[in-house]
Amino acid sequence: MKITELAGRKRKMTGITNILQRVGFSPSGFILLVVLAVLPFIPPFSSEFILRWLIFGAFLAAQAVAFDLTAGYINVVNFGFAAILGLGAYTSAILANTSPYLIVQTGLTPWIGMFIGAIVAGFVGFILGFLTLRLRGLYAAIMAWFVGIAILGLARNLIKLTRGSLGLSPPSLLETSSNRPYFYIILTMMVAIYIICKIVTRSHYGLAFRALGQNIDAARASGINPTKYRVFNFTLSCFCAGLLGGFYAHYFVSLTPQAVMHTSKTVEVLAIAFIGGRGFLWGGILTAFPFVFFIEYLRSALPGLPGLHLVIYGVLMVLVMIYYPKGLAGFVVWAREKIKIYKEEKNGGF
Amino acid sequence: MIFEAENVVKNFGGLKAVDNISFSVEEGEIFGLIGPNGAGKTTFLNCVAGALKPNEGTVILFGEDVTGLKPEVMCKKGVSRTFQISRPFPRLTVEENVEVGAIFGAPKDHKITAKNRVDEALDFVKFPLSRETPAEHLNAVQLKRLDLARALASSPKLLLLDELAAGLTTGELEEIMDLIKKIRDRGITIIIVEHIMKVIRGVCERIVVIDYGEKIAEGKPDEVMNNPKVIEAYLGEKRISF
Ligand SMILES: Nc1ncnc2c1ncn2[C@@H]1O[C@H](COP(=O)(O)OP(=O)(O)OP(=O)(O)O)[C@@H](O)[C@H]1O
Ligand SMILES: [Mg+2]
């Protein structure tokens, strides 16, 4: 009786583990996510001040996932990433505008605007996929960078639409001054983006991405159509960026070209994705939260050094790229493997 | 006739890397393509596989003009190739490398799954290591085997092999010759580029020799190798071993 009950429970457990596995979570990864989800109720994380750090962490983490879909799989660093995120943010902010001084005054609710922004960003990603199709590695990155600069230029100069460098003040997503609901929104976005990207990369699309990223000649000779897979990859990654841009616009309720679209914002995401480990998707999530806390702490400890976080990102990224290109996620996988072998040795034999 | 090349020309700037090459290959044949270093052999294979577009001439496969089609399209039409410098997908495992060919290159067939094709291709080349090994950990000879398995997994009708035997020991040479014949026995036509004449003599029914992009001889291996023009072309060539 007891034994069957136990076996039943065990079967149930493996059932849940299977479902989790299918959407890209290991049991320990899921536990971390649950911890993250209850954190806003535990002091000191429940303070509004630290909640903002958590929100920013999830925002960066979700970006790193979308960025890694391109950088870690098809091996193209999208230097226009922040600009495309900004495009999503601006689209939603412009559509939400009611001020008579700007030409568009649709006053659309951010809940819809965010998705339109994501679609616009996804469309630019689609174009970018075609533009960079014939280019390899660095050249594709530079092309993406130029597209980003062009978008930044538009945001600066279409003053009737964007107020230029003065920026926009879009309405907030929720009518609350509490940060906690926003945290759950961005956490949901992060998990959704992760699950979608994970499902895609688990399918044969992921194999095509990696093959194209590692040896395009051999990939094509094996029948992979680079247009289809690269364009799809860019579109999905940029769609996610655009959606996150919408969140940014209606959470921070302030939007300037410099603050969202600048290349240094891409570099920040790039650093987190690379330190987290390319081609794992979850490496960036694991890195983003401790990083935000570390850097915010530094910022309050050493207030006189505004660019310090970029220097730290840069140094760490270079160290990781030279000495441990698999990054944090690669290390975790390695350690997990070692523990498994150790356990088997302990349990096996007589 | 499974394959015909008619007056194929490929220029790199002023250099005529392939200059007016024509020949045809029958179904089930093992056809050799030889010539000194820089003769244009790899360039010619690239023109056939779609990696390069010929400047002039036509490539015909099963009677269909396939000149200038993209490599992924050529693969779907049944042309697979290995690379002179085999470097498949370094951060994929052995199994995933072959899976790429099996999933994307092979025609859809409900009876044979991609998994079947992978197993079969790896068994066929007698791949010596674990399938979980990342390709970046393989040595040059193992990479060649892997590249061959990847090419086979896409169920080709015409297989292009670019110096598959380079760097092999004598024992391995026998094995690869055996393998090539076995591939042919499965109904796959083969065009093979090779410097090691032992392999050419051992497996090819007919060969063409090219020098400076031009065809200088065609026929049975033994006849062709005694042709004075061929001997002259190879004079001072170190890589060749008769
Ligand atoms: N992409 C390229 N651009 C310019 N020149 C090239 C290119 N590829 C090959 N060549 C030149 O074309 C000629 C033929 O080269 P190819 O690689 O086809 O020779 P090969 O017969 O395969 O020689 P090997 O036996 O050394 O492999 C050489 O002179 C080479 O330098
Ligand atoms: Mg060659």
Side-chain angles (χ1 to χ4, degrees):
Chain A
M1 175 70 181
K2 254 192 179 153
I3 289 172
T4 49
E5 211 170 81
L6 218 66
R9 194 179 300 163
K10 192 156 190 196
R11 205 174 308 133
K12 213 183 239 166
M13 285 296 283
T14 50
I16 293 168
T17 321
N18 272 346
I19 293 169
L20 284 178
Q21 210 104 51
R22 216 170 294 162
V23 293
F25 288 100
S26 67
S28 47
F30 187 68
I31 289 168
L32 279 180
L33 184 65
V34 172
V35 169
L36 201 57
V38 296
L39 226 44
F41 289 97
I42 303 166
F45 300 101
S46 52
S47 77
E48 294 297 327
F49 183 64
I50 295 196
L51 271 173
R52 286 185 85 86
W53 295 4
L54 280 177
I55 289 171
F56 198 61
F59 175 64
L60 275 180
Q63 285 186 76
V65 173
F67 186 84
D68 192 43
L69 183 69
T70 310
Y73 286 81
I74 59 170
N75 217 0
V76 174
V77 175
N78 179 358
F79 265 106
F81 190 82
I84 286 169
L85 181 140
L87 181 68
Y90 264 96
T91 304
S92 186
I94 289 167
L95 289 174
N97 176 59
T98 49
S99 149
Y101 300 107
L102 299 175
I103 37 177
V104 177
Q105 298 156 21
T106 30
L108 186 70
T109 159
W111 291 101
I112 297 174
M114 273 185 354
F115 284 94
I116 297 177
I119 289 167
V120 171
F123 179 70
V124 171
F126 180 81
I127 307 270
L128 193 58
F130 274 105
L131 282 177
T132 57
L133 197 59
R134 309 220 161 277
L135 307 174
R136 290 179 191 207
L138 191 60
Y139 297 99
I142 291 171
M143 173 65 94
W145 188 38
F146 285 169
V147 169
I149 289 172
I151 296 171
L152 180 88
L154 284 178
R156 272 209 188 117
N157 295 310
L158 295 176
I159 292 176
K160 283 259 163 70
L161 214 53
T162 64
R163 297 208 317 153
S165 303
L166 290 175
L168 293 171
S169 313
S172 66
L173 203 51
L174 307 168
E175 285 174 18
T176 165
S177 57
S178 162
N179 281 298
R180 203 181 279 151
Y182 283 100
F183 173 72
Y184 288 107
I185 291 173
I186 188 67
L187 192 67
T188 308
M189 282 184 170
M190 181 193 91
V191 171
I193 288 172
Y194 173 73
I195 290 176
I196 290 169
C197 291
K198 199 73 194 178
I199 288 174
V200 168
T201 54
R202 279 260 179 84
S203 74
H204 71 261
Y205 274 69
L207 189 63
F209 294 161
R210 290 190 294 162
L212 284 168
Q214 292 176 29
N215 185 343
I216 192 165
D217 294 323
R220 295 185 71 179
S222 310
I224 297 179
N225 177 349
T227 313
K228 176 176 163 191
Y229 293 99
R230 273 180 81 152
V231 169
F232 177 81
N233 183 299
F234 267 92
T235 308
L236 179 58
S237 170
C238 292
F239 177 89
C240 295
L243 192 65
L244 291 167
F247 175 82
Y248 183 100
H250 304 289
Y251 169 66
F252 288 103
V253 297
S254 147
L255 213 52
T256 64
Q258 195 70 12
V260 278
M261 294 187 174
H262 194 259
T263 311
S264 67
K265 298 290 154 189
T266 301
V267 171
E268 218 169 305
V269 174
L270 182 152
I272 287 173
F274 278 30
I275 294 166
R278 295 166 72 177
F280 290 95
L281 295 178
W282 49 269
I285 300 180
L286 215 54
T287 315
F289 289 96
F291 251 71
V292 167
F293 277 76
F294 175 60
I295 276 162
E296 292 299 328
Y297 169 76
L298 268 188
R299 204 173 274 172
S300 54
L302 304 164
L305 296 166
L308 186 63
H309 67 291
L310 281 179
V311 176
I312 293 172
Y313 277 140
V315 170
L316 267 174
M317 190 175 77
V318 169
L319 287 178
V320 166
M321 281 167 76
I322 294 174
Y323 295 105
Y324 205 78
K326 285 181 179 154
L328 188 59
F331 176 75
V332 171
V333 169
W334 174 83
R336 212 188 264 159
E337 207 62 25
K338 283 280 162 213
I339 291 169
K340 210 172 99 190
I341 291 170
Y342 174 76
K343 270 190 187 158
E344 270 165 15
E345 271 173 7
K346 224 171 70 177
N347 295 339
F350 288 97
Chain B
M1 217 54 80
I2 177 172
F3 170 82
E4 288 164 83
E6 284 169 7
N7 308 315
V8 172
V9 175
K10 181 68 200 179
N11 302 318
F12 291 120
L15 175 79
K16 276 207 150 118
V18 172
D19 189 0
N20 222 23
I21 299 279
S22 307
F23 65 87
S24 51
V25 180
E26 273 171 58
E27 194 158 359
E29 200 172 10
I30 302 178
F31 194 91
L33 190 57
I34 69 168
N37 285 147
K41 306 178 295 291
T42 299
T43 306
F44 180 79
L45 286 195
N46 282 335
C47 289
V48 175
L52 291 173
K53 277 195 173 121
N55 296 95
E56 285 167 44
T58 28
V59 176
I60 294 168
L61 190 71
F62 288 114
E64 182 192 354
D65 185 349
V66 293
T67 321
L69 293 184
K70 292 175 180 153
E72 57 271 23
V73 178
M74 289 306 288
C75 178
K76 295 247 156 74
K77 288 197 178 289
V79 179
S80 284
R81 62 159 329 168
T82 64
F83 291 85
Q84 180 167 359
I85 299 163
S86 308
R87 30 161 208 204
F89 314 110
R91 288 180 301 284
L92 298 188
T93 64
V94 164
E95 186 170 349
E96 287 169 331
N97 265 274
V98 182
E99 233 168 48
V100 171
I103 291 177
F104 301 100
K108 293 269 171 293
D109 185 335
H110 296 294
K111 277 177 292 207
I112 313 162
T113 63
K115 179 98 184 56
N116 291 148
R117 289 187 209 275
V118 172
D119 291 344
E120 209 193 358
L122 280 172
D123 288 346
F124 190 80
V125 302
K126 299 202 181 70
F127 197 78
L129 306 177
S130 154
R131 295 173 178 204
E132 304 305 318
T133 320
E136 60 193 342
H137 293 168
L138 305 182
N139 65 32
V141 176
Q142 290 159 348
L143 282 174
K144 293 221 169 218
R145 248 179 233 266
L146 178 61
D147 206 20
L148 180 61
R150 178 195 56 74
L152 284 173
S154 58
S155 307
K157 297 185 191 103
L158 176 65
L159 182 62
L160 313 173
L161 303 174
D162 198 353
E163 301 206 20
L164 193 64
L168 299 187
T169 63
T170 326
E172 287 166 337
L173 277 187
E174 294 295 334
E175 201 187 331
I176 207 83
M177 284 161 65
D178 228 44
L179 210 56
I180 291 169
K181 283 186 209 153
K182 265 177 29 200
I183 295 171
R184 190 264 312 273
D185 293 342
R186 303 167 105 205
I188 299 170
T189 310
I190 300 169
I191 298 179
I192 164 172
V193 166
E194 195 52 71
H195 277 287
I196 301 169
M197 288 308 140
K198 188 179 166 189
V199 175
I200 293 290
R201 278 216 180 85
V203 300
C204 295
E205 281 105 30
R206 286 190 307 139
I207 62 175
V208 300
V209 187
I210 57 177
D211 189 23
Y212 293 109
E214 284 180 79
K215 178 163 111 177
I216 56 169
E218 176 171 5
K220 291 205 171 74
D222 284 319
E223 290 167 19
V224 167
M225 281 173 204
N226 292 324
N227 182 324
K229 258 187 174 170
V230 176
I231 293 168
E232 194 188 332
Y234 272 110
L235 227 52
E237 180 75 22
K238 289 203 186 70
R239 271 178 73 192
I240 192 145
S241 49
F242 279 97

